[in-house]
Amino acid sequence: MPDALRTLLLGFVALLLVVLIIEDYSQVEEETANNGQSKKANRLIPKPQRKPAAHVDPPASTRSSKDARNLGPGGNRSARPASSDWTFNKTLSNLIRKNILRFLDPERDISILKGTLKPGDIIHYVFDRHSTTNISENLYRLLPTVSPMKNQHHGRCAIVGNSGILLNSSCGPEVDSYDFVIRCNLAPVEEYHQDVGWKTSLVTMNPSVVQRAFQDLVSEEWRDRFLQRLRSLSGSVLWIPAFMAKGGEERVEWALRLILLHTVDVRTAFPSLRLLHAVRGYWLTNNVHIKRPTTGLLMYTMATRFCEEIHLYGFWPFPLDPRGKPVKYHYYDSLKYEYTSSASPHTMPLEFRTLSSLHRQGALRLHTGACETERSSEKELQRK
């Protein structure tokens, strides 16, 4: 082999070795950085200090399933947070707020504003990037000119989920006592007000609600029911995630048309296209691996920006209550759903475990029992 060719070959081999060494070093650096980020993320939501009174064992029938054994904080215990020993941890609440603001600004991301879009603009859906929709004239007319939550700050807020755990809770008067009340998916309140309250400051409305709860507005009767529910909001924020997934554009348009036609007194809001990914990013950095946050978790994450102290009602992703009695999926209908279904985009038990951990640390308060019972227990403790 000629010397020149041998030299060239040796040079090539040496260069290849250098490239492989650099690549290996880069991978080590990346893994080290990721490990460091994970450790840092774990510090953002500190590991809970276990207290025997912080939760009770789930009913035997719940513990019998493999899924249920892994649902509660600590792995094998369901989290029914105790109320009597809960103390608000303002320092931790402020830390969570600060960390969330590194990912999103809920005041800005709560809604796209007029001026950033115009009628006819094409929007790609958040979860269906290959599908698009056009900004309609009606939607453009209802875009807010400023954030509906601009400069708002509230002392005590309630987020009301829709679990059947609320039935017979007598939590209505307590919910109505909060400064700001958030509700999910236009859930009915009138016939359940004793348990869920009347007050509504902000309510979400997924497009599917128009079909499921109001029969796609197919008749005058259903349109009247829908309008009656909207009119009961009386100036509240109606938060419509219109650009999340394809399939609801017609329902959104029907709803907007009725709001404009009947001059309904609601402040409409349409979340920014980056909101959901930003919320998911925050929880992922805290090792909470959620594919798609539920409306409840989304509302809690956003509420940290506007609320000093946050209380959650109607959050219970289990088929049985702590005493072993069946719990409806929704307090207001007969819908049956598997909380851990592989077909669901949500991971409700994981979310609940996370919220329970934050409850035990005092960052938020989960209410899962009858409110009259909780108040009686607290009064008894005060007397002692």
Side-chain angles (χ1 to χ4, degrees), residues 278-307:
V279 169
R280 181 172 177 267
Y282 165 74
W283 290 104
L284 282 174
T285 61
N286 287 279
N287 289 332
V288 182
H289 298 280
I290 294 170
K291 294 185 298 182
R292 183 170 170 178
T294 62
T295 300
L297 186 66
L298 197 59
M299 289 297 106
Y300 164 71
T301 309
M302 295 181 67
T304 60
R305 172 71 169 79
F306 313 110
C307 302

Short mmCIF file of all heavy atoms in Angstrom, two decimals, residues 278-307:
data_model
loop_
_atom_site.label_atom_id
_atom_site.label_comp_id
_atom_site.label_asym_id
_atom_site.label_seq_id
_atom_site.Cartn_x
_atom_site.Cartn_y
_atom_site.Cartn_z
N ALA A 278 -47.90 24.66 27.20
CA ALA A 278 -47.13 25.31 28.27
C ALA A 278 -47.48 24.71 29.63
O ALA A 278 -46.60 24.46 30.46
CB ALA A 278 -47.39 26.81 28.26
N VAL A 279 -48.78 24.47 29.87
CA VAL A 279 -49.20 23.85 31.13
C VAL A 279 -48.62 22.45 31.23
O VAL A 279 -48.09 22.05 32.28
CB VAL A 279 -50.75 23.81 31.21
CG1 VAL A 279 -51.20 22.94 32.38
CG2 VAL A 279 -51.30 25.22 31.35
N ARG A 280 -48.69 21.69 30.16
CA ARG A 280 -48.14 20.34 30.16
C ARG A 280 -46.64 20.38 30.42
O ARG A 280 -46.10 19.55 31.17
CB ARG A 280 -48.43 19.68 28.82
CG ARG A 280 -47.94 18.24 28.70
CD ARG A 280 -48.43 17.62 27.41
NE ARG A 280 -47.91 16.28 27.24
CZ ARG A 280 -46.80 15.99 26.56
NH1 ARG A 280 -46.12 16.96 25.97
NH2 ARG A 280 -46.38 14.74 26.44
N GLY A 281 -45.97 21.35 29.84
CA GLY A 281 -44.53 21.49 30.05
C GLY A 281 -44.17 21.74 31.50
O GLY A 281 -43.20 21.18 32.02
N TYR A 282 -44.97 22.57 32.18
CA TYR A 282 -44.70 22.84 33.59
C TYR A 282 -44.78 21.57 34.42
O TYR A 282 -43.90 21.26 35.22
CB TYR A 282 -45.70 23.87 34.15
CG TYR A 282 -45.70 23.89 35.66
CD1 TYR A 282 -44.65 24.47 36.36
CD2 TYR A 282 -46.72 23.28 36.39
CE1 TYR A 282 -44.62 24.45 37.75
CE2 TYR A 282 -46.70 23.26 37.78
CZ TYR A 282 -45.66 23.84 38.45
OH TYR A 282 -45.62 23.81 39.82
N TRP A 283 -45.84 20.79 34.22
CA TRP A 283 -46.02 19.58 35.02
C TRP A 283 -44.99 18.52 34.67
O TRP A 283 -44.52 17.78 35.54
CB TRP A 283 -47.44 19.04 34.87
CG TRP A 283 -48.44 19.93 35.53
CD1 TRP A 283 -49.30 20.81 34.92
CD2 TRP A 283 -48.65 20.08 36.94
NE1 TRP A 283 -50.04 21.49 35.86
CE2 TRP A 283 -49.65 21.07 37.11
CE3 TRP A 283 -48.09 19.50 38.07
CZ2 TRP A 283 -50.11 21.47 38.36
CZ3 TRP A 283 -48.54 19.89 39.32
CH2 TRP A 283 -49.55 20.87 39.46
N LEU A 284 -44.59 18.44 33.40
CA LEU A 284 -43.57 17.48 33.01
C LEU A 284 -42.24 17.76 33.69
O LEU A 284 -41.53 16.84 34.09
CB LEU A 284 -43.39 17.48 31.48
CG LEU A 284 -44.45 16.75 30.66
CD1 LEU A 284 -44.22 16.96 29.17
CD2 LEU A 284 -44.46 15.26 30.98
N THR A 285 -41.89 19.03 33.84
CA THR A 285 -40.63 19.36 34.50
C THR A 285 -40.68 19.03 35.98
O THR A 285 -39.64 18.98 36.64
CB THR A 285 -40.29 20.85 34.35
OG1 THR A 285 -41.31 21.64 34.95
CG2 THR A 285 -40.12 21.23 32.90
N ASN A 286 -41.88 18.81 36.50
CA ASN A 286 -42.03 18.38 37.89
C ASN A 286 -42.30 16.88 37.98
O ASN A 286 -42.82 16.39 38.98
CB ASN A 286 -43.17 19.17 38.55
CG ASN A 286 -42.77 20.59 38.82
OD1 ASN A 286 -42.10 20.88 39.81
ND2 ASN A 286 -43.16 21.51 37.95
N ASN A 287 -41.92 16.17 36.90
CA ASN A 287 -42.05 14.71 36.85
C ASN A 287 -43.49 14.23 37.00
O ASN A 287 -43.74 13.14 37.51
CB ASN A 287 -41.17 14.04 37.92
CG ASN A 287 -39.70 14.14 37.57
OD1 ASN A 287 -39.34 14.20 36.40
ND2 ASN A 287 -38.84 14.17 38.57
N VAL A 288 -44.43 15.05 36.58
CA VAL A 288 -45.83 14.63 36.51
C VAL A 288 -46.14 14.43 35.03
O VAL A 288 -46.37 15.38 34.29
CB VAL A 288 -46.77 15.68 37.13
CG1 VAL A 288 -48.22 15.19 37.08
CG2 VAL A 288 -46.36 15.98 38.56
N HIS A 289 -46.09 13.19 34.59
CA HIS A 289 -46.14 12.87 33.16
C HIS A 289 -47.57 12.77 32.68
O HIS A 289 -48.17 11.68 32.64
CB HIS A 289 -45.35 11.59 32.88
CG HIS A 289 -43.91 11.72 33.24
ND1 HIS A 289 -43.00 12.33 32.41
CD2 HIS A 289 -43.23 11.36 34.36
CE1 HIS A 289 -41.81 12.32 32.99
NE2 HIS A 289 -41.91 11.75 34.18
N ILE A 290 -48.12 13.91 32.32
CA ILE A 290 -49.51 14.01 31.89
C ILE A 290 -49.54 14.29 30.39
O ILE A 290 -48.97 15.28 29.92
CB ILE A 290 -50.22 15.14 32.66
CG1 ILE A 290 -50.32 14.75 34.14
CG2 ILE A 290 -51.60 15.40 32.08
CD1 ILE A 290 -50.79 15.87 35.02
N LYS A 291 -50.21 13.41 29.65
CA LYS A 291 -50.29 13.60 28.20
C LYS A 291 -51.12 14.82 27.85
O LYS A 291 -50.75 15.61 26.99
CB LYS A 291 -50.91 12.36 27.55
CG LYS A 291 -50.08 11.10 27.66
CD LYS A 291 -50.72 9.96 26.89
CE LYS A 291 -52.10 9.59 27.44
NZ LYS A 291 -52.72 8.44 26.72
N ARG A 292 -52.25 14.93 28.53
CA ARG A 292 -53.18 16.01 28.20
C ARG A 292 -53.92 16.40 29.47
O ARG A 292 -54.76 15.66 29.96
CB ARG A 292 -54.16 15.53 27.13
CG ARG A 292 -55.13 16.60 26.65
CD ARG A 292 -55.87 16.07 25.43
NE ARG A 292 -56.98 16.92 25.05
CZ ARG A 292 -57.77 16.71 24.01
NH1 ARG A 292 -57.55 15.65 23.25
NH2 ARG A 292 -58.76 17.53 23.72
N PRO A 293 -53.61 17.56 30.04
CA PRO A 293 -54.23 17.96 31.31
C PRO A 293 -55.74 18.03 31.20
O PRO A 293 -56.29 18.47 30.19
CB PRO A 293 -53.63 19.35 31.57
CG PRO A 293 -52.40 19.41 30.72
CD PRO A 293 -52.68 18.56 29.52
N THR A 294 -56.43 17.61 32.25
CA THR A 294 -57.88 17.78 32.30
C THR A 294 -58.21 19.26 32.48
O THR A 294 -57.34 20.08 32.82
CB THR A 294 -58.48 17.00 33.48
OG1 THR A 294 -57.94 17.53 34.70
CG2 THR A 294 -58.17 15.52 33.38
N THR A 295 -59.47 19.58 32.26
CA THR A 295 -59.90 20.97 32.46
C THR A 295 -59.63 21.40 33.89
O THR A 295 -59.20 22.53 34.14
CB THR A 295 -61.39 21.10 32.14
OG1 THR A 295 -61.63 20.72 30.78
CG2 THR A 295 -61.87 22.54 32.33
N GLY A 296 -59.85 20.50 34.85
CA GLY A 296 -59.64 20.84 36.25
C GLY A 296 -58.20 21.21 36.55
O GLY A 296 -57.93 22.22 37.21
N LEU A 297 -57.24 20.41 36.07
CA LEU A 297 -55.83 20.71 36.31
C LEU A 297 -55.42 21.98 35.56
O LEU A 297 -54.63 22.78 36.06
CB LEU A 297 -54.95 19.54 35.87
CG LEU A 297 -53.47 19.70 36.20
CD1 LEU A 297 -53.24 19.69 37.70
CD2 LEU A 297 -52.63 18.61 35.53
N LEU A 298 -55.96 22.16 34.38
CA LEU A 298 -55.68 23.36 33.60
C LEU A 298 -56.15 24.60 34.36
O LEU A 298 -55.42 25.61 34.46
CB LEU A 298 -56.39 23.26 32.25
CG LEU A 298 -55.95 24.19 31.13
CD1 LEU A 298 -54.49 24.00 30.79
CD2 LEU A 298 -56.80 23.94 29.89
N MET A 299 -57.34 24.53 34.93
CA MET A 299 -57.88 25.66 35.67
C MET A 299 -57.08 25.93 36.95
O MET A 299 -56.83 27.08 37.29
CB MET A 299 -59.34 25.42 36.03
CG MET A 299 -60.30 25.48 34.85
SD MET A 299 -60.34 27.13 34.05
CE MET A 299 -59.43 26.78 32.54
N TYR A 300 -56.65 24.87 37.64
CA TYR A 300 -55.81 25.09 38.83
C TYR A 300 -54.51 25.78 38.45
O TYR A 300 -54.08 26.74 39.10
CB TYR A 300 -55.50 23.77 39.54
CG TYR A 300 -54.35 23.94 40.51
CD1 TYR A 300 -54.52 24.66 41.69
CD2 TYR A 300 -53.08 23.45 40.22
CE1 TYR A 300 -53.46 24.87 42.56
CE2 TYR A 300 -52.02 23.65 41.08
CZ TYR A 300 -52.22 24.36 42.24
OH TYR A 300 -51.16 24.59 43.10
N THR A 301 -53.87 25.30 37.39
CA THR A 301 -52.59 25.87 36.97
C THR A 301 -52.74 27.35 36.65
O THR A 301 -51.91 28.18 37.05
CB THR A 301 -52.04 25.12 35.74
OG1 THR A 301 -52.04 23.71 36.01
CG2 THR A 301 -50.63 25.55 35.43
N MET A 302 -53.81 27.71 35.95
CA MET A 302 -54.04 29.10 35.61
C MET A 302 -54.44 29.92 36.83
O MET A 302 -54.04 31.08 36.97
CB MET A 302 -55.12 29.20 34.54
CG MET A 302 -54.72 28.58 33.21
SD MET A 302 -56.02 28.74 31.96
CE MET A 302 -56.02 30.49 31.72
N ALA A 303 -55.21 29.32 37.73
CA ALA A 303 -55.71 30.05 38.89
C ALA A 303 -54.59 30.48 39.83
O ALA A 303 -54.76 31.45 40.58
CB ALA A 303 -56.73 29.21 39.65
N THR A 304 -53.46 29.78 39.80
CA THR A 304 -52.35 30.19 40.68
C THR A 304 -51.91 31.62 40.37
O THR A 304 -51.34 32.29 41.23
CB THR A 304 -51.14 29.24 40.52
OG1 THR A 304 -50.69 29.27 39.16
CG2 THR A 304 -51.52 27.82 40.90
N ARG A 305 -52.17 32.07 39.17
CA ARG A 305 -51.79 33.44 38.77
C ARG A 305 -52.69 34.50 39.39
O ARG A 305 -52.26 35.62 39.67
CB ARG A 305 -51.83 33.53 37.24
CG ARG A 305 -51.65 34.93 36.65
CD ARG A 305 -50.22 35.41 36.80
NE ARG A 305 -50.00 36.60 36.02
CZ ARG A 305 -50.37 37.84 36.38
NH1 ARG A 305 -51.01 38.02 37.51
NH2 ARG A 305 -50.10 38.88 35.61
N PHE A 306 -53.95 34.13 39.63
CA PHE A 306 -54.94 35.13 40.05
C PHE A 306 -55.41 34.96 41.49
O PHE A 306 -56.06 35.86 42.02
CB PHE A 306 -56.17 35.05 39.14
CG PHE A 306 -55.86 35.00 37.68
CD1 PHE A 306 -56.07 33.84 36.95
CD2 PHE A 306 -55.33 36.10 37.03
CE1 PHE A 306 -55.77 33.78 35.60
CE2 PHE A 306 -55.03 36.06 35.68
CZ PHE A 306 -55.24 34.90 34.96
N CYS A 307 -55.10 33.82 42.09
CA CYS A 307 -55.67 33.49 43.39
C CYS A 307 -54.59 33.24 44.43
O CYS A 307 -53.61 32.52 44.17
CB CYS A 307 -56.55 32.24 43.28
SG CYS A 307 -57.89 32.40 42.09
#
